[in-house]
Amino acid sequence: MKIIDLSLPIYSGMPVYPGDPECFIEPVFTLEKDNWNMHRLHINTHDGTHVNTPSHCFKNGKTISDYQVDEFQGDCILFEKLSDISHEKGVLFQEKITQTILAKLIQRRPKYIGTSITIDENIERLLLQNDFLVYENLYNLEQLPKTFYFSGVPLHIKNGDGSPVRAYAIINT
């Protein structure tokens, strides 16, 4: 078994979506002064590698609280062609999701969708309107085989519209 980390690191000054507040991490306690370390995170729910829920764009859309943990993981496929999209598995993209791909996603309803890039806003809205979980800013996808097990579990943010995740793939070797 091999595990591939698919998450970007979180750090002060990391890239964020244009116009979003900057991420920063500040020390609250230090070993030298307080005998322990503790930091405060100032991060947006859609920074770095993250999952979007329908409430990100829609008033009555599902939130993080509406999902069970197992819905954020499962068998997955790395997209190469339209026939790769199926209801039983998640699908990850290294390329832009086109209108043709979007139509197939809506028709076949994969478990979740993920991409290494930020999705076009109109495509993202249509995916979320159709109740998909959408991962963005996944990393290291070029290291993945065609099929693998994916996990991208969010923080348990009550009524969250999204969350940073520690995403990874498990590959049988």
Side-chain angles (χ1 to χ4, degrees):
M1 173 175 69
K2 179 179 178 184
I3 296 177
I4 298 176
D5 191 349
L6 304 177
S7 301
L8 293 168
I10 295 172
Y11 56 92
S12 290
M14 65 186 273
V16 297
Y17 189 79
D20 285 357
E22 185 176 321
C23 170
F24 66 96
I25 301 168
E26 64 179 333
V28 177
F29 297 106
T30 65
L31 281 172
E32 297 77 24
K33 235 172 92 180
D34 308 296
N35 240 7
W36 65 83
N37 283 320
M38 184 170 73
H39 290 77
R40 177 169 291 182
L41 301 175
H42 299 266
I43 188 168
N44 306 303
T45 54
H46 300 272
D47 286 349
T49 304
H50 65 276
V51 64
N52 303 307
T53 65
S55 67
H56 177 44
C57 293
F58 298 99
K59 184 177 181 179
N60 295 316
K62 287 171 135 181
T63 70
I64 296 286
S65 304
D66 294 319
Y67 294 92
Q68 299 298 312
V69 171
D70 65 333
E71 293 179 83
F72 296 98
Q73 53 194 346
D75 290 332
C76 196
I77 194 158
L78 190 61
F79 178 84
E80 291 177 359
K81 57 189 181 299
L82 289 176
S83 61
D84 291 337
I85 301 170
S86 72
H87 179 70
E88 299 84 32
K89 297 180 179 181
V91 61
L92 301 188
F93 294 87
Q94 296 183 83
E95 60 191 64
K96 182 178 175 185
I97 297 174
T98 64
Q99 290 293 330
T100 302
I101 293 170
L102 174 67
K104 194 58 75 176
L105 290 168
I106 291 171
Q107 175 192 20
R108 296 211 177 137
R109 306 223 31 94
K111 188 172 181 180
Y112 46 79
I113 297 157
T115 181
S116 59
I117 59 174
T118 300
I119 298 174
D120 172 82
E121 185 178 335
N122 293 323
I123 299 281
E124 180 180 34
R125 284 185 173 281
L126 288 168
L127 289 169
L128 295 174
Q129 182 179 19
N130 282 278
D131 279 337
F132 285 103
L133 287 171
V134 180
Y135 291 89
E136 290 183 287
N137 301 324
L138 293 163
Y139 184 68
N140 289 330
L141 297 188
E142 72 283 353
Q143 295 181 29
L144 296 175
K146 181 74 173 171
T147 61
F148 50 93
Y149 187 87
F150 173 85
S151 181
V153 178
L155 298 172
H156 196 170
I157 301 170
K158 187 174 182 179
N159 300 317
D161 52 83
S163 173
V165 300
R166 184 69 183 259
Y168 60 91
I170 299 175
I171 298 154
N172 293 323
T173 54

